[in-house]
Amino acid sequence: MNHHPVVRTAQGAVRGLRRHGIDAFLGIPYAAPPRGAGRFAPPEPHAPWDGVRDATVPGPTAPQSERGLGGIDMSPYFGTGWSRGADYLTVDVRAPAAADSGGLPVMVFVHGGAFVAGSTRSALYDGSAFARDGVVLVSLNYRLGIAGFLDLPGAPANRGLLDVVAALRWVRENIAAFGGDPRNVTLFGQSAGATVVGGVLAEPGAAGLVRRAIVQSGSGLGAFSPEQAARVTAAAADALGVESRADAFAELSDDRLVEAASRLAGIDLRTEAHHDPLIGLSPFSLVLDTQPAASVATGPGADVDLLVGTNAEEGNLYLVPVGRYSTSTPEDVRAVAASAHPDPARLVETYRRARPDASCGQLRSAVMGDALFGAGSRALADAHAAHSASTTHRYEFTWRSHALGGELGAAHAVELPFVFDLAHLPRLRGPEGLLGPDAPPADLAGRTHAAWVRFARTGDPGWAPYDLTRRTTMRIDAEWTQVDDPRGEELAAWA
């Protein structure tokens, strides 16, 4: 039996590793290494190589600083941090070993990490379960932080998003050699990666590259305006002591760019016309004149089936691990509402009316979660459902992790181990693991993962489509419940 399968791509041959019926090819370049001034240029094709390139070990990752979240172990999410090497615009491919006949659905995953962290090395993104179930799973690295998303005169905007589009072009050109169907590609992402997926839907240069899309805890309203982005650019230039131009930034080392990016927190991005869609959690996002949801409402992405959803307690991840949940006060609730909404008093009253018994921590988390993800996900689902000939589906993940004394709950990122069918990983368990000390329901991972596979295969995850009349949503917990317009009063308050 051949334990080192070889596949020929358009750029050259790659040697992978076969284990338990799954072929893994790691660190395959989809674009040229972004060196020097190239860090602030569009992605370019990778040069061909002679011989067979080793794809049995993980490749380098995008420059980034280490990240953590207080008392919870997020290493399976953020991965190994910065593994140095210029050739990091790469994909990992996992495919069934018996995929020679081809025609398998393809899923392409865009990791999260606040636009500044994450990689294909993260344990949560091992796509073996997808390959086991007849899907060719592709995960990708893209430029992060200043190199990926700082808006600079002399450089194209949203270079990290352009990297994702370049990876999709690589998939179209090469995935048949791994057994995949280039006409049936599902692009999916989580958090910042999900917001990028929404941006790809609205990106003219990506037309025809994607058949389906899944937006997990992203936002169709998560982009910065050019005015907001200019404030970040000015702060970055000041921190680095250079002019706000691409050629000036190109002279600086990756180390200096990463260090400067880590010092950009706290910039006030509120303007007369816009609030900060990331409420201070990251100085980087997509930079667009029009939000992705508004663009999708005019027609882009109409031929793409869409599955969009959030977790029931997204905001808990930013409060519970750092000790700010149980200590929350009414002023904290008002403050987060004021940072995100033009009428904070009315917003807080809406949430208090909908949750009469909620603590200040619960209200603060709910407002934060909807500011970051809930309102923008509903806007994207509404826009797609109103203007699309393809199907729209929506979910809400409500299973509660008992990590950190039982308070973490259905926080941001908790759905990932279930989507990737990795809830058994030891590093996710225990009082500080993402899933907590108690075993989750036995079939929750299998059923969630199967719904994602089914959607990639058919465009139907297994429940009724979403429309603007009923807004049907699947609540995913130990028991799955189809409901109409969950938390409709709260989410409508953001419109």
Side-chain angles (χ1 to χ4, degrees), residues 235-310:
D238 184 63
L240 289 161
V242 297
E243 295 293 320
S244 297
R245 302 191 318 269
D247 58 348
F249 274 74
E251 298 294 322
L252 304 175
S253 68
D254 287 333
D255 291 271
R256 288 197 66 193
L257 298 180
V258 167
E259 195 274 333
S262 68
R263 293 190 284 116
L264 293 179
I267 303 170
D268 186 359
L269 296 181
R270 290 173 293 180
T271 70
E272 209 169 288
H274 302 283
H275 66 274
D276 177 356
L278 303 187
I279 57 174
L281 289 182
S282 177
F284 300 102
S285 185
L286 302 180
V287 180
L288 299 168
D289 292 311
T290 305
Q291 291 287 358
S295 294
V296 167
T298 65
D303 58 345
V304 175
D305 295 326
L306 178 66
L307 171 60
V308 58
T310 55

Side-chain angles (χ1 to χ4, degrees), residues 67 74 79-80 102 113 121 135 210-211 218 265 392 471:
R67 284 179 70 85
M74 291 297 289
T80 56
R121 288 184 171 219
V135 171
V210 174
R211 179 67 190 87
T392 312
R471 292 191 168 90

Side-chain angles (χ1 to χ4, degrees), residues 373-389:
F373 311 111
S377 292
R378 177 181 164 115
L380 183 62
D382 281 1
H384 189 265
H387 296 275
S388 176

Side-chain angles (χ1 to χ4, degrees), residues 109-132:
F109 183 71
V110 187
H111 68 76
F115 300 93
V116 297
S119 76
T120 57
R121 288 184 171 219
S122 303
L124 282 174
Y125 312 143
D126 182 326
S128 296
F130 284 103
R132 176 200 68 202

Side-chain angles (χ1 to χ4, degrees), residues 326-340:
S326 59
T327 61
S328 293
T329 66
E331 180 52 38
D332 291 326
V333 179
R334 287 191 290 271
V336 71
S339 73

Side-chain angles (χ1 to χ4, degrees), residues 370-410:
D370 286 342
L372 289 166
F373 311 111
S377 292
R378 177 181 164 115
L380 183 62
D382 281 1
H384 189 265
H387 296 275
S388 176
S390 302
T391 62
T392 312
H393 287 85
R394 191 160 164 222
Y395 74 88
E396 183 181 39
F397 191 86
T398 59
W399 179 81
R400 304 192 76 252
S401 165
H402 289 163
L404 302 180
E407 286 192 328
L408 187 62

